[in-house]
Amino acid sequence: MKWSMLLIFTALAQCHNIKREAPSCPGLCSCSFSPPGAEVECSQGFLRDFSVVGFPSNTTRLSIQSTNLSRITAHHLSTVPLLKSLQLYHTNLTGLPADLLKDIPHLNSLDLTGNQLVHLPPNVFSCYSLQSLVLKNNLIEEANAEWFSDNSNITWLDLSGNLLTGVSASLFHKMPNLENLDLSYNKLQDLPPNALTNLHQLESLNLAGNKLVSLKPTTFTHNLKLSQLFLQENQLQVLPTNLLKGLQHLELLMLNQNQLQNLPRGLLDEKKSSFRVVLAGNPWVCDDKMDYLWKWLTAHAENVFFLEEVTCEGSGVLKQQIVSLSGTELGLNNA
């Protein structure tokens, strides 16, 4: 009997210790726990203030989304010093303090999608460990090189859905390791000739949904690792013959929904067999200047997505698939 009572008291004591040592979780948030570290998600719409109480000391991922949080400081984040991933989606943030990341030295991913950010202070993203930065769908009019330290370790930068009218070469000169750059759906009208010269590791570049009318022949000369290039939904009228020269790794080229009437001879030559292109939605003029594109489409039909939508516009032949035409119909001699 004594032994049974002792076992009962021991079990009760153990339960008490387990309860006492149970991990904490801040109010209005949910937490999950695993050996690598805790993950905390806060998505209550009426969350207005960042609580510095209740966060697990080993929090490595924090996601605050669709809330009315309008301010966050370095003091707030000092409660989660092991943080590696921080997501602040649609939280009504209008600004960030310059020292925001000073107490989270292990942070490698920061996502600020869907806020009201316009102007940001110098060095705000100078955290040495930061590799992925998403500033999508804010109100940023100018991306400032002063936000970053020299030789930044960022490999992924997303500035899509902002109000950028241009980008400076000095911005990307600080990012020699950049692999993915998204500038889509801004108001870019031009790219400086040397804007991308320091991006030797760049693999994916998204310039879709801007107001680009033309590109310099040397725009991508230094981006020899490019495998994905998104140029759709711009106002491109003419492309330089050497625009894609040297891009031996290019696998996807999006040119749809522009104002192209023909392509210069040689533009798509020497591409690998896995190369794919989208050309639909352009006002292609089917005359003798269509010689190069017509022959290329005929020989590489399998490399073209939505081939049936690559059609003629203008006088003469209307809305007819280019590959279905004969050389005679295009006015080509000896075709």
Side-chain angles (χ1 to χ4, degrees):
M1 185 66 177
K2 291 181 179 180
W3 281 108
S4 63
M5 291 298 292
L6 180 60
L7 289 173
I8 291 173
F9 282 126
T10 302
L12 289 172
Q14 289 176 340
C15 287
H16 175 73
N17 287 335
I18 290 174
K19 183 176 181 180
R20 185 180 62 188
E21 296 172 2
S24 62
C25 189
L28 304 180
C29 300
S30 62
C31 300
S32 60
F33 303 92
S34 63
E39 298 187 0
V40 181
E41 182 173 316
C42 310
S43 56
Q44 300 293 330
F46 45 85
L47 177 65
R48 295 179 180 276
D49 298 307
F50 191 105
S51 172
V52 295
V53 178
F55 279 96
S57 59
N58 65 337
T59 299
T60 57
R61 178 180 176 272
L62 172 59
S63 177
I64 301 177
Q65 50 190 298
S66 301
T67 70
N68 285 312
L69 182 73
S70 59
R71 188 176 72 97
I72 190 168
T73 68
H75 173 63
H76 294 145
L77 296 179
S78 67
T79 62
V80 284
L82 300 181
L83 201 62
K84 293 182 179 179
S85 175
L86 176 59
Q87 300 169 336
L88 299 169
Y89 301 154
H90 304 282
T91 56
N92 292 317
L93 291 172
T94 58
L96 301 174
D99 64 348
L100 179 66
L101 309 181
K102 74 180 183 67
D103 293 321
I104 44 175
H106 306 289
L107 189 75
N108 57 46
S109 177
L110 176 60
D111 194 329
L112 293 159
T113 296
N115 286 285
Q116 306 295 316
L117 300 173
V118 181
H119 303 291
L120 297 173
N123 298 314
V124 63
F125 303 127
S126 60
C127 177
Y128 179 79
S129 61
L130 189 62
Q131 296 181 3
S132 175
L133 176 61
V134 179
L135 292 164
K136 182 178 181 179
N137 295 345
N138 278 277
L139 302 172
I140 299 170
E141 298 177 356
E142 181 182 0
N144 200 321
E146 293 184 356
W147 297 345
F148 306 93
S149 60
D150 292 336
N151 294 317
S152 168
N153 285 315
I154 289 179
T155 60
W156 187 294
L157 178 61
D158 187 345
L159 282 161
S160 62
N162 280 282
L163 303 174
L164 300 175
T165 57
V167 290
S168 67
S170 60
L171 173 65
F172 302 125
H173 284 173
K174 290 190 170 186
M175 300 180 185
N177 301 306
L178 197 62
E179 297 175 0
N180 295 272
L181 174 60
D182 193 340
L183 296 169
S184 61
Y185 300 99
N186 278 280
K187 297 183 178 182
L188 299 178
Q189 299 179 11
D190 191 19
L191 285 178
N194 59 343
L196 308 175
T197 56
N198 200 43
L199 302 184
H200 302 295
Q201 306 302 318
L202 195 64
E203 297 177 5
S204 177
L205 174 60
N206 194 340
L207 294 167
N210 281 286
K211 298 182 177 182
L212 298 172
V213 175
S214 64
L215 293 168
K216 306 293 189 300
T218 58
T219 299
F220 310 121
T221 299
H222 301 276
N223 314 126
L224 300 183
K225 290 189 176 183
L226 266 181
S227 63
Q228 297 181 327
L229 181 55
F230 302 89
L231 296 171
Q232 73 271 25
E233 298 178 51
N234 277 283
Q235 299 172 19
L236 295 171
Q237 299 176 7
V238 178
L239 297 179
T241 300
N242 295 326
L243 182 67
L244 307 178
K245 186 176 181 180
L247 302 186
Q248 300 299 319
H249 300 283
L250 193 62
E251 294 195 347
L252 178 62
L253 174 63
M254 304 285 285
L255 285 171
N256 48 299
Q257 275 70 49
N258 276 286
Q259 297 299 316
L260 298 169
Q261 296 185 0
N262 54 67
L263 292 184
R265 186 172 301 278
L267 179 73
L268 303 177
D269 289 357
E270 300 179 2
K271 294 293 174 278
K272 56 200 304 186
S273 60
S274 58
F275 171 73
R276 296 293 183 270
V277 63
V278 182
L279 297 166
N282 283 283
W284 302 110
V285 176
C286 291
D287 56 16
D288 56 353
K289 295 181 181 178
M290 183 55 63
D291 182 18
Y292 171 72
L293 180 57
W294 173 68
K295 289 180 179 178
W296 192 91
L297 290 174
T298 303
H300 301 90
E302 70 280 1
N303 296 91
V304 185
F305 288 130
F306 312 113
L307 178 64
E308 69 281 359
E309 297 179 23
V310 185
T311 58
C312 301
E313 296 285 351
S315 59
V317 185
L318 294 176
K319 290 295 182 184
Q320 192 166 348
Q321 295 179 21
I322 292 177
V323 290
S324 70
L325 300 175
S326 67
T328 302
E329 289 175 297
L330 292 173
L332 304 179
N333 295 324
N334 302 319

